[in-house]
Amino acid sequence: MLFIVGLGLADERDITVKGLDAVKQSERVYLEAYTSLLLVPKEKLEEFYGKEVIVADREMVEMEADKILEGAKERDVSFLVVGDPFGATTHTDLELRARSLGIPVRVIHNASIMNAVGACGLQLYRFGESISIVFFTDTWRPDSFYDRILANRREGLHTLCLLDIKVKEPSLESLARGRKVYEPPRFMTINTAIEQLLEVEAARQQGAYSPDTLCVGVARIGSDTQRIVAGSMQQLLDVDYGPPLHSLVIAGNTHPIEDEYLRQFSVAAAAGEATAAATAAAGQK
Amino acid sequence: MLFIVGLGLADERDITVKGLDAVKQSERVYLEAYTSLLLVPKEKLEEFYGKEVIVADREMVEMEADKILEGAKERDVSFLVVGDPFGATTHTDLELRARSLGIPVRVIHNASIMNAVGACGLQLYRFGESISIVFFTDTWRPDSFYDRILANRREGLHTLCLLDIKVKEPSLESLARGRKVYEPPRFMTINTAIEQLLEVEAARQQGAYSPDTLCVGVARIGSDTQRIVAGSMQQLLDVDYGPPLHSLVIAGNTHPIEDEYLRQFSVAAAAGEATAAATAAAGQK
């Protein structure tokens, strides 16, 4: 049996009981580590599971699927995916390959950013199409997301922006030299995402959004250090959200219940807290 | 501390390890049982947790929130929600009430239909706004979902249709008599949803969809008896999906990878299996 197990969002204890049982009974355990990342290192997982975890990078999953699936017809193999197994397209290949080899497949679901983003208080059923924002380079500044934000906002819908993750990417220079050297991991911040968004709006000028548009920055969702901040794009530009992973929501039309819930996360509320803390600190002198 | 714990989709073992720890350390455990249902009875949860589970119906959550929250400032109380805590708006009230009372709140995420529907092979980021379809009555046939399906389909997006659940609804007759008697629970089937959808299209005639539109019926997702069937609306009308819960996806434009993945679920494939089974059975005679 091939178990494709969602790990949820933050740490080793976000796995489901069903998922943990699958891992414990598996002969080999792989961790997909290029479309998303847990907020804890692999060693933490190994300690929790009491067994070795093999990190599967993109090359391995794409080129050595049969090695991952070896013996899975008779014995159990677990393939761990951060979030839910269906958050990324990449696992469907592995699953289809398994099925074509006659290997039974069992998917164990979990939370992913696609549903956990509801924690910001914007209602999930009021989200339109999701978009991905990739790191702009000097020569590649893809902005096809702009039309989708525009379409969502015209319908009054919220837009979840998934921000770029670069894990184990070969450097262009090394590719040119024919011997792969990998870049250090990079995770797009909410700040960078907003900069790129504003740059695209300045170029396209169709009014999909503006510096005044209500947005919600969401960092490390589901963890103890989760940070959610609501404010205009301009306001959110200067907030420090801390370590990855970050996501951004561009709000559509909001309902009064959404507004009420969002208030606790407003930049103003956060600034108020900071001021209160500063005042308290000053008072202690 | 108030823990709001997502239970996931199918059975008692879909809770996360983190969620289970919260339940185990809680003085009281409530189960929200009116916006969705697990596929196992409450007794199964009690056995698994080793403690009593109090079923919280809509009245209780809306009218007696303070009773649920009693003592939660000093001790732990868990409020269990099928799927993810942010799948329904109802829990935000409880959370806001808790915060206003100075009770710390911790949300523990899990899978919900909003992300697990990816199991059908249609990519989550290609879904537009979700809709709800309620049971039509003689006098109440709300069809506002039609415009949203139309908008999604114009953009080539998929539409997740959440189907009506009626749990502990007072009968109209009993309300008239001033003494509540509750109707037996009702769960909308995929078949009823399609009937209602086709009725609305026949009335509106704006071509949001037709009997030929590709759809995917999804039943008991995440469970061992999960059933996914892909075909035209007309084809799906006569399929028996088994017990609840059911959901329906109206496909937008599909990508070849989506088509490939969907093929395993096609009505034709299912019919082929049935034919093969019948042939095998006949051969055994």
Side-chain angles (χ1 to χ4, degrees):
Chain A
M1 173 86 80
L2 172 68
F3 290 104
I4 306 183
V5 182
L7 293 186
L9 293 159
D11 64 41
E12 71 281 5
R13 290 165 64 242
D14 286 324
I15 195 171
T16 66
V17 173
K18 199 178 273 177
L20 185 58
D21 288 348
V23 168
K24 295 217 167 190
Q25 76 191 53
S26 287
E27 192 178 81
R28 295 191 311 284
V29 178
Y30 295 89
L31 170 65
E32 186 274 307
Y34 55 93
T35 58
S36 190
L37 281 189
L38 271 196
L39 306 178
V40 294
K42 172 188 96 139
E43 289 71 26
K44 198 100 187 206
L45 296 182
E46 293 184 321
E47 194 186 320
F48 188 65
Y49 303 153
K51 62 174 64 183
E52 187 198 1
V53 171
I54 305 160
V55 171
D57 59 24
R58 191 187 297 267
E59 273 177 21
M60 184 171 184
V61 178
E62 288 175 2
M63 313 295 282
E64 302 174 43
D66 287 356
K67 203 168 144 190
I68 293 174
L69 297 172
E70 201 179 302
K73 223 165 167 173
E74 297 80 30
R75 296 177 300 276
D76 292 331
V77 172
S78 282
F79 186 79
L80 311 182
V81 180
V82 175
D84 184 73
F86 290 98
T89 48
T90 34
H91 323 307
T92 55
D93 284 344
L94 186 70
E95 188 185 344
L96 288 171
R97 179 78 190 137
R99 291 196 194 277
S100 74
L101 293 170
I103 297 169
V105 178
R106 181 79 205 274
V107 172
I108 300 176
H109 290 284
N110 211 319
S112 63
I113 184 67
M114 303 297 284
N115 69 340
V117 70
C120 76
L122 295 172
Q123 294 298 321
L124 286 180
Y125 63 89
R126 296 287 304 153
F127 279 73
E129 195 176 2
S130 302
I131 64 158
S132 293
I133 302 181
V134 300
F135 281 114
F136 284 179
T137 69
D138 290 343
T139 53
W140 196 56
R141 305 174 94 74
D143 64 358
S144 60
F145 55 72
Y146 186 84
D147 297 314
R148 280 176 278 159
I149 300 171
L150 189 61
N152 284 342
R153 299 252 309 155
R154 277 190 181 145
E155 298 288 331
L157 301 176
H158 313 313
T159 307
L160 170 62
C161 310
L162 302 168
L163 309 188
D164 204 0
I165 291 176
K166 292 226 176 294
V167 185
K168 211 177 171 187
E169 299 275 328
S171 69
L172 284 178
E173 193 194 336
S174 76
L175 281 178
R177 288 187 189 179
R179 203 179 133 187
K180 286 185 187 172
V181 176
Y182 297 100
E183 304 266 11
R186 289 172 72 204
F187 308 95
M188 187 182 287
T189 62
I190 292 161
N191 318 74
T192 299
I194 294 176
E195 277 168 23
Q196 294 192 181
L197 282 164
L198 291 175
E199 177 190 314
V200 172
E201 177 60 62
R204 300 281 295 264
Q205 298 204 5
Q206 290 171 264
Y209 48 85
S210 79
D212 296 328
T213 300
L214 175 65
C215 289
V216 188
V218 176
R220 299 173 307 285
I221 197 154
S223 79
D224 291 337
T225 66
Q226 167 179 307
R227 180 112 204 257
I228 301 177
V229 187
S232 71
M233 233 179 234
Q234 187 62 48
Q235 286 175 318
L236 294 191
L237 201 50
D238 299 321
V239 174
D240 179 3
Y241 303 89
L245 301 171
H246 293 188
S247 305
L248 177 69
V249 182
I250 303 171
N253 302 336
T254 55
H255 185 275
I257 294 177
E258 293 178 315
D259 293 331
E260 188 191 349
Y261 198 85
L262 276 180
R263 213 165 293 141
Q264 64 183 308
F265 303 126
S266 74
V267 172
E273 273 172 33
T275 310
T279 311
Q284 282 172 358
K285 275 182 197 167
Chain B
M1 172 87 79
L2 172 68
F3 290 104
I4 306 183
V5 182
L7 293 187
L9 293 159
D11 64 41
E12 71 282 3
R13 290 166 63 241
D14 285 324
I15 196 171
T16 65
V17 172
K18 199 177 273 177
L20 185 59
D21 287 349
V23 168
K24 296 217 169 190
Q25 76 191 53
S26 287
E27 193 179 79
R28 294 192 312 284
V29 178
Y30 295 89
L31 170 65
E32 186 273 307
Y34 55 93
T35 57
S36 189
L37 282 189
L38 271 196
L39 306 178
V40 294
K42 171 188 99 139
E43 290 70 26
K44 199 101 187 202
L45 295 183
E46 292 184 322
E47 192 187 320
F48 188 66
Y49 302 153
K51 62 174 65 183
E52 187 197 1
V53 171
I54 304 159
V55 171
D57 58 24
R58 190 186 297 266
E59 273 176 22
M60 184 171 183
V61 178
E62 289 176 1
M63 313 295 283
E64 302 174 44
D66 286 357
K67 203 168 144 190
I68 293 174
L69 297 172
E70 202 180 300
K73 223 164 166 172
E74 297 80 31
R75 297 178 299 277
D76 292 331
V77 172
S78 282
F79 186 78
L80 312 182
V81 179
V82 175
D84 185 72
F86 290 98
T89 49
T90 35
H91 323 307
T92 55
D93 285 343
L94 186 71
E95 188 185 344
L96 289 171
R97 179 79 190 136
R99 292 196 194 278
S100 75
L101 294 170
I103 297 169
V105 178
R106 182 79 205 274
V107 171
I108 300 177
H109 290 285
N110 210 320
S112 63
I113 184 67
M114 304 296 285
N115 70 340
V117 70
C120 77
L122 295 173
Q123 294 299 321
L124 286 180
Y125 62 89
R126 295 288 303 156
F127 278 72
E129 196 176 0
S130 301
I131 64 157
S132 294
I133 302 181
V134 300
F135 280 114
F136 283 0
T137 68
D138 290 344
T139 53
W140 197 55
R141 304 174 94 73
D143 64 358
S144 60
F145 55 72
Y146 187 84
D147 297 314
R148 280 175 279 157
I149 300 171
L150 189 61
N152 284 342
R153 299 251 310 155
R154 277 191 180 143
E155 298 287 332
L157 300 176
H158 313 313
T159 307
L160 170 62
C161 310
L162 302 168
L163 309 188
D164 204 0
I165 291 176
K166 292 229 176 290
V167 186
K168 214 179 169 186
E169 298 276 328
S171 68
L172 283 178
E173 193 195 337
S174 76
L175 281 178
R177 289 186 188 179
R179 202 177 135 190
K180 285 186 188 170
V181 177
Y182 296 100
E183 305 264 13
R186 288 172 72 204
F187 307 95
M188 188 182 288
T189 61
I190 292 162
N191 318 74
T192 299
I194 293 177
E195 277 168 23
Q196 294 191 181
L197 282 163
L198 290 175
E199 177 190 313
V200 173
E201 177 60 60
R204 301 279 295 263
Q205 298 204 3
Q206 291 171 264
Y209 47 86
S210 78
D212 295 329
T213 300
L214 175 65
C215 289
V216 188
V218 176
R220 299 174 306 286
I221 197 155
S223 78
D224 290 337
T225 65
Q226 166 178 307
R227 180 111 205 256
I228 301 178
V229 187
S232 71
M233 234 179 231
Q234 187 63 48
Q235 286 175 319
L236 294 190
L237 201 50
D238 299 320
V239 174
D240 178 3
Y241 303 88
L245 301 172
H246 292 188
S247 304
L248 176 69
V249 182
I250 304 171
N253 301 337
T254 55
H255 185 276
I257 293 177
E258 294 179 314
D259 293 331
E260 187 190 350
Y261 198 84
L262 276 180
R263 213 164 294 144
Q264 64 183 308
F265 302 127
S266 73
V267 173
E273 273 173 35
T275 310
T279 311
Q284 282 173 357
K285 276 183 197 166

